Amino acid sequence: MQGIGILTGGAVAIIVSSAFKHAYKRPTFAVDHILSTPPQADFVWRIIFMFGAFPAALTFYWRMKMPETARYTALIVKDAKQAAADMSRVLAVDFDPEQATLDPQTAGDDFGLWSRQFTKRHGLQLFGCASTWFLLDIAFYSQNLFQKDVFTQVGWLPNASKMSALEEVYRIARAQSLIALFSTVPGYWFTVALVDIIGRFIIQLMGFFFMTVFMFSLAIPYYHWRGHNKCPPPNSDKYCHGHRLSFIILYALTFFFANFGPNSTTFIIPAELFPARLRSTCHGIAAASGKAGAIIGSFGFLYASESTKKSQTDPGYPTGIGLKNSLICLGVSNALGFAFTFLIPETKGKSLEALSGEVTADDKNISSRPPVLTA
């Protein structure tokens, strides 16, 4: 559903910017850098931004109506009766509480988050989940942010000086929505279809591998894709003799394998590996590591992708390492994500209790639903 949200966000940006663009026609920035941005343009980003409040409000309401998970209520709160009632209400099936089975399920599971026992059982797993999420988000968020620079350099978008402010918003939103429609969203649904067939570990490993391959395939022969020489006037802001379509296809494939890969599995795996008492905390640590990577990707590469020549940088930005070198750095980040994935075990086909060590793997009572509750 994250992919559907990305498409919806793009659709909102296209509709709002298109409406304002037709209502307030303005010259390009090159013709008049002041009149190219109408005062009403200030409402465009506000409307797009505020639209996000509606699904957030609905999520809050539905979450307030949602009961706590049965595993937490039964194993941690030790209230099998309430857990049975919650599951009966959600699944429309009658469950009988078996309070007597709670103690065996939680035996030996009283260690703390930073204890030696937790480190021995789950330390490398937590590090693997946190590090891969961190490395993924460096690449994922930076790619989303400098999409417009990529599209401009390969000639898929006009130079900003040749558009008005509203035209620029419209064209960028359209380009990003096309990438989402043909690569991002299909990637998510390939994961939905295959995650319980080929497994989380293989999908994450494969995703990082192909992200690395395609990123280096873009970066190393970058000038071959973009073109080496500027075109003659009136297109002197573009590069000629490049391979624009091939570049866009390879670039879209990095998004496909991000989502048919670690951008899906990094959410799933931490929710399955750890004991019920610490599961949300460990998932939160992994997610927080991802947001740290997002900060580096968002701010670091926003500056890093700037040209090495001061005359070609955006106003207000210092010189950077250039787009080619930025893509190489992202390829290295993906390669590290591939390596750290080996710290994470496969979770396909195993119960949460077996994965977290709450029961042994040969326990005959293991099932995919909480063993403390029987239908």
Side-chain angles (χ1 to χ4, degrees):
M1 293 307 296
Q2 187 178 35
I4 304 301
I6 291 170
L7 270 184
T8 304
V12 170
I14 290 171
I15 292 169
V16 174
S17 60
S18 179
F20 275 76
K21 180 167 68 78
H22 283 88
Y24 305 101
K25 298 185 183 298
R26 286 293 187 272
T28 65
F29 184 87
V31 172
D32 192 316
H33 65 279
I34 295 177
L35 292 180
S36 65
T37 305
Q40 294 81 6
D42 190 52
F43 291 105
V44 173
W45 75 267
R46 294 178 187 271
I47 293 171
I48 295 170
F49 191 69
M50 288 191 296
F51 188 84
F54 294 104
L58 293 173
T59 301
F60 180 80
Y61 170 77
W62 282 318
R63 182 60 188 88
M64 294 298 292
K65 294 291 186 181
M66 188 186 302
E68 187 54 82
T69 60
R71 279 181 173 83
Y72 182 86
T73 304
L75 298 176
I76 309 307
V77 182
K78 300 186 185 301
D79 188 346
K81 184 177 180 180
Q82 182 61 49
D86 290 340
M87 290 191 70
S88 297
R89 181 158 57 92
V90 172
L91 300 177
V93 176
D94 290 333
F95 287 89
D96 295 323
E98 294 184 12
Q99 190 72 39
T101 63
L102 292 180
D103 292 336
Q105 291 295 331
T106 56
D109 186 28
D110 55 353
F111 50 84
L113 178 64
W114 308 115
S115 66
R116 182 179 299 178
Q117 191 172 357
F118 175 86
T119 302
K120 183 178 179 180
R121 284 195 190 184
H122 304 292
L124 282 178
Q125 295 175 354
L126 180 57
F127 178 74
C129 291
S131 60
T132 52
W133 205 332
F134 171 80
L135 292 164
L136 162 73
D137 278 4
I138 290 177
F140 189 76
Y141 282 87
S142 59
Q143 274 185 266
N144 276 289
L145 270 180
F146 63 63
Q147 269 190 67
K148 69 177 182 66
D149 301 307
V150 172
F151 297 152
T152 299
Q153 290 217 11
V154 299
W156 205 29
L157 287 176
N159 188 279
S161 64
K162 294 190 173 183
M163 298 182 285
S164 67
L166 295 173
E167 177 73 14
E168 186 176 8
V169 174
Y170 171 77
R171 285 180 175 267
I172 291 173
R174 187 178 63 178
Q176 291 180 330
S177 296
L178 286 171
I179 291 290
L181 182 63
F182 292 106
S183 61
T184 303
V185 174
Y188 282 115
W189 287 100
F190 266 73
T191 300
V192 171
L194 298 173
V195 69
D196 284 325
I197 297 175
I198 64 177
R200 293 87 160 118
F201 175 81
I202 296 298
I203 287 177
Q204 181 161 313
L205 204 64
M206 178 186 65
F208 271 126
F209 174 79
F210 282 110
M211 287 171 71
T212 304
V213 168
F214 289 123
M215 200 64 75
F216 284 139
S217 298
L218 289 171
I220 295 172
Y222 174 72
Y223 298 111
H224 167 77
W225 304 121
R226 188 199 67 177
H228 289 273
N229 302 314
K230 291 278 190 175
C231 297
N235 296 312
S236 56
D237 60 318
K238 295 182 179 180
Y239 291 89
C240 287
H241 310 299
H243 300 80
R244 178 187 315 175
L245 181 60
S246 299
F247 185 97
I248 294 299
I249 291 172
L250 289 174
Y251 189 67
L253 284 170
T254 64
F255 283 94
F256 175 82
F257 282 105
N259 297 297
F260 183 34
N263 198 43
S264 296
T265 55
T266 50
F267 280 88
I268 298 170
I269 295 172
E272 297 179 328
L273 274 179
F274 304 103
R277 187 166 52 82
L278 300 172
R279 186 168 291 137
S280 294
T281 302
C282 293
H283 195 284
I285 291 171
S289 300
K291 297 321 118 186
I295 292 171
I296 294 173
S298 300
F299 291 98
F301 282 90
L302 197 63
Y303 286 89
S305 60
E306 289 292 327
S307 174
T308 55
K309 299 178 181 179
K310 183 62 179 177
S311 60
Q312 297 178 8
T313 60
D314 291 332
Y317 284 87
T319 55
I321 61 175
L323 198 54
K324 175 180 177 176
N325 291 328
S326 295
L327 292 173
I328 291 175
C329 290
L330 294 182
V332 172
S333 177
N334 293 328
L336 290 173
F338 176 86
F340 283 123
T341 296
F342 286 97
L343 298 175
I344 301 170
E346 178 58 79
T347 60
K348 176 177 72 75
K350 300 177 183 178
S351 72
L352 297 179
E353 289 77 22
L355 286 167
S356 63
E358 291 167 320
V359 295
T360 58
D362 58 351
D363 193 314
K364 294 181 180 180
N365 293 323
I366 292 177
S367 66
S368 59
R369 61 182 173 83
V372 297
L373 303 172
T374 57

